[in-house]
Amino acid sequence: MDVESELSQFLKSRRARLRPDEVGLPSYGRQRRVPGLRREELAQLAGVSVTHYTRLEQGQRRNVSAEILDAIATALRLTTDERAHLHRLARPGSIDESGTNDSFSVSPSLHGLLNSMVLTGAALMGRRTELLAWNPLLDELMGGLDAPPSRRTVSHWLFFNETARQRWGDSWERLSRANVSYLRTGLARYPHDERLRGHIAAMRVQSPDFERMWQAYEVEEWSSGGDSLVLHHPVVGPVELDYRRVLLPDDPHVRGLLLYSARPGTTSHERMRHLATLSTPELRFT
């Protein structure tokens, strides 16, 4: 990854989304040549010199302090995830998140954990969105997740599988943007991971939707989640699901668990019970 270019484009994209009236600056009613704030206006809000900010936006990050980055992040109204991403780009090595171990096999205990979640669709995902393992209920929910190893990723499933678009419906855009945003933070965290870089490069070339979302420069950490999504299953109909991501930090090859569950006492919960008996026939509910 070209960290300097990524830093530059990220700052420009965040500056472009702010309007003067949103941050208490006059716009004077004139036609502005560029969307969002000017560099001078952003520097004023952050309390830094225009020269200092301009250099940073050009990717010149040498000796930039955490305090300056925090001031710029506040002026840009960055989210918590975006602020962490800015620090990671501008001060690589300030947070040790290295990890290059590519040898990984899912342990029996992890398989057992996934299979014990009979009313929760669950999968173990790698840092390149690889689907490392999943339980029967998730396979039933998604319409079959198995694929050739090189394409067994959440990215491939979302962007190239028509079943994903059909089942997620209006929720597909949100899930897909989250996938792209997660990959962007992963690229900043693991800039020397050639497989991760290759995965992103291939997705950008092969999927216009992925490229469109990539150009939005959105970022999202793994721990972000908690969305309510609706999946349309051909047997039971719409199922409203709570979507969670649980971090598993012990192995750098693994990012964590994807979890899809329905709230007890709802129609969606009853539909999940029915799907659980379809995916695991030996299950019996009282």
Side-chain angles (χ1 to χ4, degrees):
M1 178 182 67
D2 183 345
V3 178
E4 288 77 13
S5 176
E6 179 72 9
L7 173 61
S8 175
Q9 293 301 320
F10 177 68
L11 285 171
K12 289 177 182 177
S13 72
R14 301 305 88 176
R15 179 166 59 86
R17 71 182 180 180
L18 290 176
R19 298 194 308 270
D21 58 296
E22 292 177 322
V23 295
L25 293 176
S27 60
Y28 304 112
R30 294 197 300 265
Q31 184 77 23
R32 298 174 71 86
R33 291 179 298 172
V34 294
L37 298 182
R38 300 185 180 95
R39 287 174 175 172
E40 296 82 358
E41 292 168 331
L42 194 284
Q44 176 186 341
L45 286 173
V48 302
S49 72
V50 177
T51 300
H52 201 139
Y53 175 75
T54 299
R55 286 175 178 169
L56 185 64
E57 196 177 272
Q58 291 172 342
Q60 301 177 37
R61 54 199 168 88
R62 187 174 181 180
N63 298 325
V64 63
S65 69
E67 291 74 19
I68 291 293
L69 293 175
D70 281 332
I72 291 171
T74 299
L76 287 170
R77 299 190 174 186
L78 299 188
T79 65
T80 301
D81 289 353
E82 290 170 337
R83 184 182 294 261
H85 187 66
L86 175 61
H87 277 266
R88 198 174 287 118
L89 290 173
R91 304 180 74 231
S94 60
I95 303 174
D96 182 13
E97 295 183 272
S98 60
T100 57
N101 177 22
D102 283 331
S103 60
F104 176 82
S105 60
V106 179
S107 67
S109 62
L110 277 176
H111 274 296
L113 175 64
L114 292 175
N115 291 329
S116 70
M117 300 180 186
V118 294
L119 288 178
T120 297
L124 187 68
M125 195 177 92
R127 70 176 190 234
R128 307 175 191 100
T129 81
E130 310 99 311
L131 284 163
L132 303 171
W134 55 88
N135 67 358
L137 179 55
L138 188 66
D139 201 48
E140 176 62 40
L141 277 171
M142 303 307 176
L145 292 172
D146 202 14
S150 63
R151 299 177 66 84
R152 197 178 298 155
T153 72
V154 176
S155 304
H156 283 93
W157 188 78
L158 282 170
F159 288 95
F160 300 121
N161 192 322
E162 190 58 32
T163 299
R165 294 175 185 262
Q166 293 171 353
R167 296 207 175 185
W168 283 119
D170 292 341
S171 297
W172 179 87
E173 180 84 10
R174 171 69 189 98
L175 276 174
S176 299
R177 293 178 79 91
N179 177 265
V180 175
S181 301
Y182 163 71
L183 284 169
R184 177 160 246 118
T185 61
L187 192 59
R189 182 179 291 110
Y190 303 110
H192 305 298
D193 186 332
E194 293 297 333
R195 287 180 58 196
L196 176 59
R197 293 171 65 180
H199 173 69
I200 293 170
M203 293 297 301
R204 293 183 65 184
V205 169
Q206 296 170 17
S207 171
D209 281 325
F210 188 98
E211 175 64 10
R212 167 177 61 85
M213 295 176 189
W214 185 260
Q215 291 301 329
Y217 286 91
E218 294 176 350
V219 296
E220 190 168 304
E221 294 289 345
W222 176 264
S223 57
S224 299
D227 286 344
S228 181
L229 307 168
V230 177
L231 180 138
H232 301 271
H233 193 276
V235 175
V236 300
V239 184
E240 186 173 356
L241 298 168
D242 289 332
Y243 171 51
R244 295 286 187 277
R245 297 193 295 256
V246 178
L247 183 66
L248 295 177
D250 290 343
D251 192 297
H253 188 69
V254 178
R255 206 61 194 138
L257 287 169
L258 302 175
L259 302 174
Y260 301 86
S261 61
R263 297 177 186 179
T266 64
T267 301
S268 292
H269 190 259
E270 290 305 310
R271 291 174 178 174
M272 286 287 275
R273 287 163 64 98
H274 181 60
L275 291 176
T277 61
L278 294 179
S279 61
T280 311
E282 61 270 21
L283 281 179
R284 293 291 182 272
F285 294 107
T286 58

